[in-house]
Amino acid sequence: QIKGFLFDLDGVIANTSTYHGIAWHQLADELGVKWTDDLGNQLKGVGRMDSLNLILKYGHKENAYTEEQKEYYANKKNENYIHLLDSLDKSQILPGMEEFIKNISDHGYLISLASSSKNSPYVLEKLDLAKYFDQRVDPATLTHGKPDPEIYTRAAEVLNLKPEECIGLEDAVAGIKSINGSGAISLGIGDPRILSEADINFEDTSQVTLENIKKALNLSYL
Ligand code: G6P
Ligand code: MG
């Protein structure tokens, strides 16, 4: 029986993944690494330093910088990202997501946040959605980031639920792998060819409703 929902934030609840993409693209240009859609997809859902390491690897520059220089570039990306968040408000919540979150909350499901972003509390406050979340995982406390299952395992645990009692929502390949590894049901949002490992998939957030999830999972009730 499903008792909880575990949410990614960027690209699932709000279009902030676009801003992460813009800020990483700017940094890749500065580092002389060619930006591609494939690189952009690889970075989705991945934490800040892991993302920088992926960019450097992609550009065959993994040994070009000291740890101190990498800290500097990671901070620089974050400053660009935070600047892009200046104008963030409720209008950037993805279609149907506030209604969906409110609906599952009204139905008594428990809700936790499984975002790799250290900016997620700030983003949720700006979107006025923090009130719906029973718990959240602090990504600073994790040993391994997505695609490791740790964050989704913890997101269920903080609700006192087993992962098998939860559905995780993700727009990123690394995130779907993390949900699947935890044992929760994975719901992918976006191109099903990219999110092919998801248990169920919706192309668009507006299709994410309790009724559609029930149908997709072949459940008589949810
Ligand atoms: C999310 C985003 C990633 C981002 C990561 C870390 O998972 O999808 O694009 O790199 O969070 O975010 P942060 O705000 O802590 O740099
Ligand atoms: Mg995401």
Side-chain angles (χ1 to χ4, degrees), residues 6 10 26 30 32 47 54 65 67 71 73 79 89-90 101-102 104 112 114 122 132 137 168 195 210 212:
L6 321 174
D10 303 306
Q26 276 173 7
E30 188 176 331
L54 277 176
Y65 301 100
E67 287 308 311
E71 285 294 338
Y73 285 119
E79 278 166 20
D89 61 25
K90 282 183 91 77
I101 294 170
K102 187 173 184 313
I104 56 177
S112 69
Y122 173 64
Y132 297 115
V137 178
L195 303 175
L210 275 178
N212 286 343

Side-chain angles (χ1 to χ4, degrees), residues 8 10 17 20 24 43-48 51 77-78 81 115-119 146:
D8 176 43
D10 303 306
S17 55
H20 279 293
W24 283 127
L43 298 182
K44 277 189 191 162
V46 175
R48 201 178 302 169
S51 295
K77 180 270 171 178
N78 193 49
Y81 176 64
S115 167
S116 318
S117 174
K118 292 177 178 148
N119 293 297
K146 298 172 190 178

Side-chain angles (χ1 to χ4, degrees), residues 50-212:
D50 287 348
S51 295
L52 177 58
N53 284 325
L54 277 176
I55 291 173
L56 293 174
K57 193 168 164 226
Y58 201 80
H60 304 290
K61 291 176 191 284
E62 47 275 74
N63 299 314
Y65 301 100
T66 63
E67 287 308 311
E68 213 181 349
Q69 286 171 315
K70 289 204 277 184
E71 285 294 338
Y72 164 82
Y73 285 119
N75 280 331
K76 191 164 182 184
K77 180 270 171 178
N78 193 49
E79 278 166 20
N80 284 342
Y81 176 64
I82 289 175
H83 194 66
L84 292 166
L85 291 182
D86 276 351
S87 61
L88 186 73
D89 61 25
K90 282 183 91 77
S91 70
Q92 278 139 359
I93 298 175
L94 288 165
M97 281 320 263
E98 177 156 24
E99 295 75 5
F100 175 68
I101 294 170
K102 187 173 184 313
N103 192 240
I104 56 177
S105 167
D106 289 346
H107 278 78
Y109 291 102
L110 295 175
I111 305 176
S112 69
L113 189 69
S115 167
S116 318
S117 174
K118 292 177 178 148
N119 293 297
S120 56
Y122 173 64
V123 171
L124 272 192
E125 281 302 332
K126 273 203 131 192
L127 300 173
D128 196 24
L129 295 177
K131 58 192 175 206
Y132 297 115
F133 285 78
D134 298 294
Q135 294 291 338
R136 109 182 158 90
V137 178
D138 177 355
T141 64
L142 299 171
T143 318
H144 300 290
K146 298 172 190 178
D148 187 277
E150 188 178 3
I151 191 166
Y152 278 98
T153 305
R154 288 267 298 280
E157 197 176 273
V158 291
L159 296 176
N160 287 317
L161 297 176
K162 299 190 196 99
E164 290 74 17
E165 296 173 316
C166 301
I167 295 177
L169 293 87
E170 267 289 348
D171 66 313
V173 176
I176 294 290
K177 286 185 196 290
S178 174
I179 299 173
N180 289 347
S182 77
I185 295 168
S186 56
L187 186 161
I189 300 169
D191 189 335
R193 288 164 301 183
I194 294 174
L195 303 175
S196 58
E197 291 174 45
D199 292 319
I200 56 173
N201 193 92
F202 297 104
E203 297 241 8
D204 193 278
T205 52
S206 62
Q207 297 162 2
V208 180
T209 62
L210 275 178
E211 203 46 43
N212 286 343

Side-chain angles (χ1 to χ4, degrees), residues 13-24:
I13 295 174
N15 69 356
T16 40
S17 55
T18 314
Y19 296 153
H20 279 293
I22 293 169
W24 283 127

